[in-house]
């Protein structure tokens, strides 16, 4: 009976990760609609220049993040030698994701004519509020897990600081990008409105997805560490380790799924209108 309860508990804890992946699957539809609207619009010269400038800015900052990741890998090799082999992929992935968030948070303001009086969109028009709040909840859970394991002596200081700084900084950058997306006034010309909406939708989803992944993956690793700790297992059937291990697998699977969506969304917004090809 105890094994059956443990199995049911394991499956139940996996459910949130599946639901999160489905939520991001539905979010892909909103982004597809925004991209399709750009394909059917003919932006003004200012709108065409904005698309090109935004794409160049995103590529440059992401390349900078990748270079910082390479520098981090070299630094880990110098400090840890052979023990750094398992850190190469996480360091590069984290640097690239931080570059994604930084690129969106520092995007230059469009130079087209703004609407008078100023009109601004609501955040719910750009991204589902559930995805934003899930990002915040995951970051909070990751910070709590890191502090708990650090205080109990299960995490060293360098690992704990890395697990705290990267998700928190990414979350702050994501909140900055989301705030900029809703505070910037809408353009006045009708042809540039779908371009502006697509840019805002891209930014909202990219930063939310990147910050979520940067919190989910370390959270999953921390939960697995806490769940397989032999000192935390009592005699008989202890369901807390089962829940921790299931939560760790769920967080890792959800993080990988969201990262998969994110990688397909790094392509810049394009328009096939004559304004861009003439």
């Amino acid at each position: 009976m105890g094994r059956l309860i443990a199995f049911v508990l394991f499956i139940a804890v996996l459910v949130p990760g599946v639901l999160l992946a489905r939520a991001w699957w539905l979010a892909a539809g909103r982004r597809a609609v925004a991209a399709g609207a750009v394909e059917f619009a003919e932006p003004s010269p200012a709108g065409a220049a904005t698309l090109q400038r935004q794409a160049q800015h995103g590529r440059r900052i992401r390349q900078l993040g990748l270079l910082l990741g390479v520098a981090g890998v070299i630094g880990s090799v110098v400090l840890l030698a052979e023990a750094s082999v398992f850190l190469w992929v996480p360091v590069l992935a984290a640097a690239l994701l931080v570059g994604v968030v930084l690129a969106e948070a520092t995007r230059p303001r469009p130079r087209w004519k703004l609407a008078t009086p100023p009109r601004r969109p609501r955040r719910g028009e750009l991204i589902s509020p559930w995805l934003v709040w899930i990002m915040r909840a995951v970051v909070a859970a990751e910070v709590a897990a890191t502090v708990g394991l650090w205080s109990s002596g299960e995490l060293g200081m360098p690992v704990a600081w890395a697990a705290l700084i990267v998700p928190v900084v990414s979350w702050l950058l994501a909140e900055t990008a989301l705030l900029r997306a809703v505070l910037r006034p809408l353009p006045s010309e009708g042809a540039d409105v779908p371009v502006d909406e697509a840019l805002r939708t891209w930014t909202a989803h990219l930063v939310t997805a990147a910050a979520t992944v940067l919190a989910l993956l370390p959270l999953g690793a921390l939960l697995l560490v806490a769940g397989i700790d032999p000192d935390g297992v009592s005699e008989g059937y202890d369901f807390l380790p089962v829940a921790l291990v299931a939560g760790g697998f769920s967080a890792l699977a959800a993080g990988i799924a969201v990262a998969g969506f994110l990688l397909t969304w790094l392509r810049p917004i394009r328009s096939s209108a004559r304004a861009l090809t003439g």
Side-chain angles (χ1 to χ4, degrees):
M1 187 64 180
R3 292 180 179 178
L4 177 61
I5 296 175
F7 176 76
V8 173
L9 178 62
F10 189 91
I11 297 300
V13 178
L14 289 176
V15 170
V18 176
L19 294 179
L20 179 60
R22 174 173 172 76
W24 277 102
W25 176 268
L26 295 176
R30 176 176 293 194
R31 288 170 51 88
V33 170
V38 176
E39 292 295 328
F40 289 101
E42 185 173 351
S44 67
T50 295
L51 283 177
Q52 295 174 353
R53 187 168 59 253
Q54 300 280 22
Q56 292 174 356
H57 175 81
R59 284 194 297 268
R60 290 171 182 170
I61 301 299
R62 289 195 294 268
Q63 289 171 357
L64 176 61
L66 187 59
L67 289 176
L68 292 177
V70 173
V73 169
I74 295 174
S76 67
V77 171
V78 173
L79 295 175
L80 303 175
E82 294 84 356
S84 66
V85 172
F86 300 102
L87 297 178
W88 294 357
V89 173
V91 169
L92 286 175
L96 179 59
L97 290 175
V98 171
V100 170
V101 182
L102 182 60
E104 299 300 321
T106 60
R107 280 195 179 278
R109 295 177 66 89
R111 298 175 183 175
W112 49 48
K113 184 179 179 181
L114 301 179
T116 304
R119 295 179 291 109
R120 296 176 174 84
R122 293 178 298 178
R123 183 175 296 175
E125 298 173 355
L126 306 177
I127 186 172
S128 170
W130 282 106
L131 296 178
V132 178
W133 282 107
I134 288 173
M135 172 192 69
R136 295 166 177 167
V138 170
V139 172
E142 197 276 338
V143 171
T146 301
V147 172
L149 291 176
W150 188 9
S151 61
S152 63
E154 297 183 39
L155 284 183
M157 183 177 296
V159 176
W161 276 112
L164 285 174
I165 291 176
V166 174
V168 171
V169 170
S170 301
W171 166 67
L172 292 175
L173 289 173
E175 293 288 354
T176 301
L178 290 171
L179 187 61
R180 291 188 65 196
V182 297
L183 290 182
R184 189 175 71 244
L186 293 169
S188 60
E189 297 187 21
D192 290 331
V193 170
V195 174
D196 180 75
E197 181 182 356
L199 288 172
R200 295 173 196 260
T201 303
W202 245 241
T203 292
H205 285 82
L206 281 175
V207 298
T208 304
T212 301
V213 172
L214 284 170
L216 275 174
L217 295 182
L219 175 62
L222 293 174
L223 291 178
L224 287 176
V225 168
I228 63 178
D229 181 13
D231 296 333
V233 181
S234 61
E235 296 181 359
Y237 293 100
D238 193 337
F239 298 112
L240 179 59
V242 175
L244 291 174
V245 171
F249 279 118
S250 179
L252 291 175
I256 294 172
V258 178
F261 290 115
L262 181 62
L263 291 176
T264 63
W265 293 341
L266 293 180
R267 180 179 59 85
I269 303 171
R270 300 184 184 276
S271 175
S272 59
R274 293 187 302 275
L276 290 180
T277 58

